[in-house]
Amino acid sequence: MEIVVCVKQVPDTTEVKIDPVTNTLIRQGVPSIVNPFDKNAVEAALVLKEKHGGKVTVLSMGPPQAKDALKECLAMGADAAILVSDRAFGGADTLATSYTLAAAIRKLGAVDLILCGKQAIDGDTAQVGPEIAEHLGIAQVTYVAKIDIDGAAARLEREHEDGYEVIEAGLPVLVTVVKSANEPRYPTVKGTMRANRAEIPVWTVADLDTDPARLGLKGSPTQVRKIFTPKQRTQGVLIAKDTAREAVAELIAKLSAAKIV
Amino acid sequence: MQFELTEEQKMMQKMVREFAAKEVAPGSAARDEEEKFDRSLYDALGELGVTGICFPEQYGGAGADTLSYILAIEELSRVDSGLGIALSASVSLGGWPIYAYGSEEQKKKYLAPLAEGRTLGAFGLTEPNAGTDAAAQQTVAVLQGDHYVLNGSKIFITNGGEAETYVILAMTDKAKGARGISAFILEKGMPGFTFGKKEHKLGIRSSQTMELVFQDVAVPAANLLGKEGDGFKIAMTTLDGGRIGVAAQALGIAQAALDHAAKYAKERVQFGKPIAANQAVAFTLADMATQIDAARLLTYRAAYCKDKGLPYSKEAAMAKLYASDAAMAIAVDAVQVYGGYGYSREYPVERLMRDAKITQIYEGTNQVQRMVISAAILR
Amino acid sequence: MAVKVNQDKCIGCSACVGACPFGAIEMQGGSKAFITEACTACGACIDACPAQTIVREQEARQTAVDKDAYRDVWVYMELNGGQPRSVGLELLGEGRKLADAMGQQLAAVLIGDGVEPIAQEAFAAGADKVYLVEGPEYAHYTTDAFAIAAVDLIDTYKPAVLLLGATNDGRDLGPRVACRIGTGLTADCTGLGIDEATGLVAWTRPAFGGNIMATILCPDNRPQMGTVRPKVFKKPVPDHSRSGELIRVASKVRPGDIRTRLVDIIKVCTAACNLEEAEVIVSGGRGLCKPENFALVEELAGVLGAAVGASRAAVDAGWKPALHQVGQTGKTVAPKIYFACGISGAIQHLAGMSSSDIIVAINKDPDAPIFKVADYGLVGDVLEVLPILTEELKKIRQAG
């Protein structure tokens, strides 16, 4: 079974802070990590490989340092990694990104399953997965918590607002994976050493069969017009009392006065 | 000179750091409170291959270097120094002498499972009346046909009771003094090998420390490590390596103390500003950071010497001496930065202070380290 | 369109480096700013540059589409069990404003099986037209069938704008359709407006885990598409006297087009986890210390008839299933009252609940960021406070 997992290196947005004085993002010291949902996708791929055999290839588009993210996936147990990197791909929105990644997947040859995380924590768009499926003309199932493969078909549990849908799809299919799907394994010592020694090929624009007008900033229909920090709510009243009972009494008095309870 | 970790070492450090933060840190205060060694965490380290980092692949290891292993102890000790020392005691004190002095059969039988983390190791030298004076051993081993009969006891044994494999020092020829000591590999469950009381300690309470009792324990002659009379040399060289592990443990404690203190100093507001804005606090943090860097350089250097096949006895002693003193001082200062909260068990720094103390004591008190260092320079 | 530094004039102050939200500017040779491939052309550096050496370069683009041929604002009305989800109606209300501002019409897209009566609800909510595609193949949502129907409508009737709810299905359908059409899609918007300079829809959305907001345009492609979070906008008061034009469109789905098969639907959600629709939500976080203590949150929720939410920390720790998670990577909620119990208030959590009408926070740390957004903040141990609060509120309920 040939499995491709698309991963993204992202800043750990839980570590990002806003400078209270300049009101800008403090990126300094924010570590770059493998997008957490993509790790769930890698884990799902590894479990399927252990069960059905085959090969797991991790694919990422990004700057040269995104190799670190791929190495981490190799250390978890992926068999191969490819970085798609070129200045020509820079500034891509989801449409141009998915177009480029789809071209790279085509170059890999026949693929049974493409896995992505449900979304990346820096952009939170959840678009690249479905758009890759569209570029490749294959089916997609998003927000998947459970994957079973039986022969040429996949049985998937898709998370929904109020429960799950059980969906069957033929292969190949693109599946985006949610956090509750699994607990990603830690890389092992030996895996880490193997990953460190692995050669990660870098595919540039010259390696892919693409239309230059559809790449990078030029191939991106959406444009960021403005970036700003969100408006903060203003702080209300703070109740601090000696005992919890006094504090609750005060809270209820205030809520009642405001006709909230 | 190269002051940067290799790519591989960095990846290893990151991997253990993540495991430590997510899996080890959450329960470390509770394990301290309950004086509980959590074997499942050690098993997890085994599955990740952390227990075999520095042993060759043929014996179940990963074939990486000592420094990578030292980084693992440091990272674990930042969140739970009891687990850090459990690893060090198993690998450096239990596994290493078998690797360095064991026969091929002994390595296959005992080292491989230790390296794979399927078993836990321990080392027994200290006795009630033989601490620093190792030659005063009262545990005796008498050869009877194809086995030795051991009698005596060992105290303060890290991983005692939990470990499956023990390297035990015993007197085989009292007349020869230190040269009459031999080393044996014992298995948990050997008839006559029992455990005495569990030690209730000031710190590193998430590691288990126990008394070992030997009553006519029949140990196969095949379990003699090295030759008869090699015991003292085996013990001393084993401790040389173990001290790098203790230094790494101290380093982890010190780093954690600084991290907590720096974070707290930025958050805690008094007189309308964070306390870090006071030089009295800021300079304390600066001194902490400087000592940590010095300790780190000494510790990594000792590991480097060991990897390069250079002499490392003095280097390990210096690293352990300096890093443990630094850890103690830094942990005390961290409690001071926290003020009253530092003294409360709701906050983590008092535990670091209790944990730090042992690093100045075990695997040779810091006075012993000075003996080792001065002996080397006055030679 | 790209952002460039005129390196001759760069004074090397590196003000732009700090201003770039994407870390895409480096100082080359320590003295000249250089924009790397991570640039998204957001323009934050342009304002930050004191020497005005950073400029936005207009690049000649081949415009593939005749933009004038695209008119009207469309809203996709997502159905759930044959009934419209609230977000569709919310978007009709907001779409009405956009359409009026653009001097165009508002249309609802209704795809389903036997759903014609819902058209009336769309008219009542402000639609001028309803495009209706019906057939048994639309009884349940499938990516393939719904994408074919939506793309066919767009190709035929050419809307200028298409709004979808940022639900799981909306976020499944949106990118598939946008990609097939070859247009831009802005995900998870929390604000809509018209960009004064261009007359384009200005899509505003949180990014970087809610740390920043980005306003996004889609200048050259049509339709301009976006998914919008539920509960950001209020449902309009229905005007049942309104009516409009119903346009029936035949289904173009052929056998074999649908490559997935819905085998089963497992409902696990009770009222307690219907966070999007809830008027009152009681959420718990790490401050509860143990999973058992979540019972305190549930008891309070029980008294108030509230839904139960959880912070990411609580979900990650396995105290509550992910369905309950409130935040940037969980659900976005906007109840009338939100109780945050033992939640510190990380940005990623605030991004999911800060549009609540009233926020009540209970936390023992007086410096917790949650208090910065709370209307009522109670400093105290949540384990001590919750039982008393529940007891007191129960008394009030019984008395009232």
Side-chain angles (χ1 to χ4, degrees):
Chain A
M1 186 160 171
E2 292 291 321
I3 308 174
V4 172
V5 188
C6 299
V7 302
K8 184 179 186 186
Q9 188 181 44
V10 295
D12 187 350
T13 52
T14 57
E15 300 277 318
V16 172
K17 302 227 158 50
I18 298 287
D19 185 324
V21 181
T22 61
N23 218 22
T24 52
L25 223 53
I26 310 172
R27 286 183 62 105
Q28 218 178 7
V30 176
S32 287
I33 58 171
V34 179
N35 177 42
F37 299 112
D38 298 351
K39 276 198 176 180
N40 294 108
V42 172
E43 176 64 30
L46 294 174
V47 169
L48 289 172
K49 183 189 118 173
E50 282 157 8
K51 207 164 162 192
H52 303 284
K55 185 180 173 194
V56 175
T57 304
V58 283
L59 178 68
S60 186
M61 181 176 120
Q65 55 271 30
K67 266 192 184 176
D68 291 348
L70 289 172
K71 275 188 183 172
E72 197 173 329
C73 300
L74 288 174
M76 283 173 75
D79 300 288
I82 289 156
L83 177 66
V84 179
S85 187
D86 198 305
R87 284 192 67 87
F89 305 141
D93 73 357
T94 60
L95 190 68
T97 302
S98 59
Y99 175 74
T100 311
L101 285 171
I105 293 169
R106 248 187 235 113
K107 187 181 162 84
L108 282 171
V111 166
D112 299 302
L113 185 63
I114 301 169
L115 297 176
C116 303
K118 74 157 180 167
Q119 67 199 53
I121 58 164
D122 56 348
D124 289 313
T125 71
Q127 290 174 4
V128 170
E131 292 186 342
I132 289 173
E134 175 62 24
H135 284 299
L136 295 173
I138 63 172
Q140 78 189 39
V141 182
T142 51
Y143 307 105
V144 168
K146 193 160 179 279
I147 308 174
D148 285 310
I149 302 286
D150 184 11
R155 192 182 167 92
L156 308 152
E157 278 186 28
R158 175 175 189 252
E159 252 182 33
H160 210 263
E161 270 76 5
D162 32 35
Y164 294 92
E165 293 173 347
V166 181
I167 293 173
E168 280 181 359
L171 302 182
V173 62
L174 182 142
V175 173
T176 75
V177 177
V178 295
K179 181 167 64 183
S180 53
N182 53 46
E183 195 58 56
R185 65 193 65 188
Y186 290 95
T188 63
V189 166
K190 283 187 189 175
T192 301
M193 293 169 69
R194 194 176 54 238
N196 183 50
R197 287 162 201 172
E199 282 290 322
I200 298 178
V202 179
W203 288 354
T204 66
V205 70
D207 296 299
L208 301 178
D209 180 17
T210 50
D211 171 1
R214 298 178 70 179
L215 300 175
L217 203 54
K218 209 185 280 182
S220 300
T222 59
Q223 293 174 358
V224 183
R225 163 62 41 136
K226 195 171 70 168
I227 297 274
F228 57 99
T229 39
K231 219 177 17 206
Q232 296 295 331
R233 289 174 73 108
T234 43
Q235 180 160 359
V237 289
L238 206 58
I239 303 162
K241 295 275 172 199
D242 289 340
T243 69
R245 196 161 284 280
E246 284 174 68
V248 168
E250 169 103 9
L251 174 66
I252 288 182
K254 288 210 170 9
L255 291 177
S256 311
K259 298 196 169 40
I260 296 163
V261 293
Chain B
M1 279 210 91
Q2 179 61 272
F3 283 104
E4 206 185 4
L5 298 177
T6 65
E7 203 51 44
E8 185 172 292
Q9 288 157 349
K10 280 188 212 162
M11 283 175 75
M12 213 87 90
Q13 182 183 44
K14 180 167 175 252
M15 167 209 147
V16 181
R17 184 174 294 170
E18 243 180 72
F19 174 80
K22 288 198 193 131
E23 308 294 330
V24 183
S28 66
R31 290 191 296 275
D32 170 69
E33 194 70 36
E34 295 158 17
E35 301 192 43
K36 182 169 170 270
F37 172 71
D38 185 347
R39 183 66 184 260
S40 71
L41 283 175
Y42 192 83
D43 293 343
L45 290 177
E47 276 160 38
L48 295 176
V50 174
T51 51
I53 291 178
C54 56
F55 294 121
E57 287 187 71
Q58 74 209 82
Y59 303 122
D65 56 9
T66 308
L67 183 47
S68 299
Y69 156 67
I70 285 305
L71 291 169
I73 297 178
E74 180 187 345
E75 290 303 325
L76 291 171
S77 299
R78 280 171 71 171
V79 298
D80 183 348
S81 57
L83 186 61
I85 201 61
L87 176 65
S88 183
S90 184
V91 172
S92 292
L93 303 185
W96 186 83
I98 300 174
Y99 168 64
Y101 298 100
S103 65
E104 196 57 30
E105 288 70 38
Q106 287 171 340
K107 289 184 201 177
K108 288 233 162 69
K109 185 169 177 192
Y110 295 111
L111 178 58
L114 279 174
E116 286 161 8
R118 288 185 283 120
T119 56
L120 184 70
F123 174 79
L125 171 67
T126 302
E127 298 183 3
N129 297 315
T132 300
D133 181 10
Q137 294 285 309
Q138 287 175 339
T139 299
V140 292
V142 180
L143 184 63
Q144 288 184 0
D146 62 352
H147 62 269
Y148 289 85
V149 176
L150 257 75
N151 277 289
S153 68
K154 299 285 173 184
I155 53 161
F156 304 148
I157 305 306
T158 303
N159 293 345
E162 277 288 334
E164 286 77 23
T165 304
Y166 297 80
V167 172
I168 300 297
L169 283 304
M171 199 58 96
T172 44
D173 188 346
K174 213 170 182 107
K176 289 186 180 162
R179 292 186 189 283
I181 299 173
S182 301
F184 298 90
I185 306 171
L186 268 68
E187 292 174 29
K188 182 181 187 177
M190 280 179 164
F193 178 12
T194 55
F195 303 104
K197 78 171 173 77
K198 177 177 164 177
E199 215 57 59
H200 296 284
K201 310 189 291 289
L202 173 71
I204 55 162
R205 288 155 50 124
S206 63
S207 71
Q208 179 157 297
T209 309
M210 255 196 187
E211 180 186 6
L212 314 181
V213 181
F214 314 109
Q215 210 165 17
D216 295 326
V217 183
V219 180
N223 281 27
L224 173 69
L225 196 54
K227 299 191 302 293
E228 263 192 35
D230 281 354
F232 190 73
K233 179 183 74 183
I234 291 175
M236 291 305 117
T237 52
T238 298
L239 288 174
D240 282 342
R243 282 166 192 153
I244 314 177
V246 174
Q249 181 199 20
L251 195 50
I253 295 170
Q255 185 67 54
L258 172 61
D259 292 346
H260 285 300
K263 183 167 180 284
Y264 184 79
K266 285 195 277 186
E267 285 169 2
R268 170 74 172 172
V269 174
Q270 289 289 279
F271 303 107
K273 61 183 183 187
I275 59 170
N278 303 309
Q279 274 192 349
V281 174
F283 283 10
T284 301
L285 297 173
D287 287 344
M288 288 176 167
T290 308
Q291 290 175 68
I292 288 173
D293 261 22
R296 182 167 284 129
L297 290 173
L298 280 172
T299 306
Y300 291 3
R301 196 263 310 249
Y304 171 89
C305 289
K306 185 163 188 281
D307 278 329
K308 290 286 167 193
L310 301 167
Y312 62 91
S313 175
K314 179 189 70 179
E315 289 70 18
M318 286 175 162
K320 194 264 192 193
L321 166 64
Y322 189 84
S324 61
D325 282 350
M328 192 67 235
I330 288 166
V332 169
D333 280 346
V335 171
Q336 196 68 22
V337 169
Y338 267 71
Y341 292 107
Y343 202 68
S344 159
R345 276 156 81 154
E346 269 196 50
Y347 292 83
V349 284
E350 61 81 31
R351 172 160 56 93
L352 296 170
M353 181 171 142
R354 289 186 284 108
D355 286 357
K357 186 62 206 172
I358 189 63
T359 62
Q360 294 178 307
I361 298 171
Y362 59 16
E363 302 194 29
T365 60
N366 281 4
Q367 288 66 31
V368 169
Q369 308 308 318
R370 290 180 174 92
M371 284 163 58
V372 173
I373 298 162
S374 57
I377 56 175
L378 296 172
R379 195 180 286 149
Chain C
M1 228 164 39
V3 174
K4 293 267 161 68
V5 181
N6 183 343
Q7 291 213 329
D8 295 340
K9 289 196 200 153
C10 176
I11 56 171
C13 69
S14 77
C16 52
V17 175
C20 178
F22 301 95
I25 308 183
E26 293 166 0
M27 296 307 288
Q28 269 191 346
S31 62
K32 300 284 177 196
F34 176 77
I35 299 180
T36 69
E37 63 199 81
C39 174
T40 63
C42 73
C45 53
I46 299 175
D47 301 333
C49 179
Q52 281 99 41
T53 60
I54 306 180
V55 289
R56 195 187 284 276
E57 273 188 355
Q58 301 289 339
E59 239 174 72
R61 279 176 81 99
Q62 306 143 324
T63 316
V65 295
D66 172 13
K67 287 185 272 185
D68 295 337
Y70 288 78
R71 288 188 65 79
D72 293 355
V73 175
W74 286 14
V75 170
Y76 169 68
M77 289 191 72
E78 185 181 324
L79 306 176
N80 180 33
Q83 288 305 307
R85 277 199 191 275
S86 174
V87 66
L89 299 169
E90 291 158 25
L91 291 184
L92 281 170
E94 195 63 16
R96 182 73 259 170
K97 292 181 201 159
L98 285 180
D100 290 345
M102 292 161 69
Q104 299 180 8
Q105 290 197 303
L106 177 69
V109 173
L110 195 52
I111 303 170
D113 186 23
V115 293
E116 191 186 325
I118 295 167
Q120 200 45 54
E121 283 190 56
F123 294 133
D128 302 308
K129 295 182 210 169
V130 170
Y131 293 96
L132 176 68
V133 185
E134 286 187 303
E137 64 270 38
Y138 302 114
H140 284 287
Y141 173 78
T142 60
T143 313
D144 286 328
F146 280 63
I148 288 169
V151 169
D152 175 56
L153 288 175
I154 292 167
D155 282 344
T156 313
Y157 298 97
K158 300 192 181 344
V161 177
L162 172 58
L163 306 174
L164 301 94
T167 58
N168 280 16
D169 285 352
R171 288 171 24 128
D172 182 88
L173 178 64
R176 192 88 202 194
V177 169
C179 187
R180 196 168 298 173
I181 303 274
T183 190
L185 170 67
T186 306
D188 264 20
C189 298
T190 55
L192 297 176
I194 300 288
D195 180 58
E196 280 183 22
T198 56
L200 295 164
V201 177
W203 310 89
T204 295
R205 66 181 303 266
F208 268 95
N211 286 286
I212 56 170
M213 305 297 290
T215 299
I216 290 170
L217 305 180
C218 179
D220 299 315
N221 300 69
R222 292 294 178 273
Q224 307 168 64
M225 284 178 64
T227 59
V228 181
R229 284 192 182 169
K231 286 275 171 179
V232 169
F233 300 112
K234 302 276 173 236
K235 248 195 287 196
V237 179
D239 176 359
H240 293 290
S241 67
R242 286 188 89 259
S243 79
E245 185 187 355
L246 181 69
I247 301 153
R248 287 172 199 281
V249 181
S251 170
K252 304 291 191 299
V253 173
R254 292 160 310 179
D257 280 346
I258 305 175
R259 294 167 289 189
T260 56
R261 196 168 72 85
L262 182 67
V263 182
D264 201 2
I265 297 176
I266 305 163
K267 283 219 180 215
V268 292
C269 213
T270 56
C273 72
N274 193 352
L275 293 161
E276 286 95 337
E277 311 279 328
E279 301 232 312
V280 183
I281 294 175
V282 183
S283 279
R286 213 197 311 254
L288 292 165
C289 299
K290 286 188 214 156
E292 303 88 88
N293 291 334
F294 234 98
L296 299 174
V297 168
E298 276 147 14
E299 279 159 26
L300 176 58
V303 171
L304 295 168
V308 175
S311 72
R312 194 179 72 142
V315 170
D316 281 356
W319 299 353
K320 271 277 153 193
L323 283 168
H324 292 270
Q325 186 180 326
V326 173
Q328 178 77 358
T329 50
K331 291 180 175 176
T332 308
V333 299
K336 291 210 164 77
I337 314 176
Y338 186 92
F339 285 85
C341 310
I343 293 176
S344 67
I347 286 275
Q348 107 85 39
H349 188 76
L350 302 184
M353 47 63 83
S354 57
S355 18
S356 306
D357 290 350
I358 297 287
I359 297 172
V360 181
I362 304 162
N363 202 301
K364 71 174 171 194
D365 175 9
D367 298 322
I370 192 76
F371 289 129
K372 300 225 162 65
V373 302
D375 300 279
Y376 301 94
L378 193 160
V379 184
D381 184 348
V382 70
L383 300 180
E384 222 181 303
V385 171
L386 276 180
I388 302 173
L389 182 60
T390 305
E391 174 196 318
E392 293 298 322
L393 286 171
K394 205 184 274 173
K395 279 186 206 156
I396 294 177
R397 289 277 138 135
Q398 280 161 356

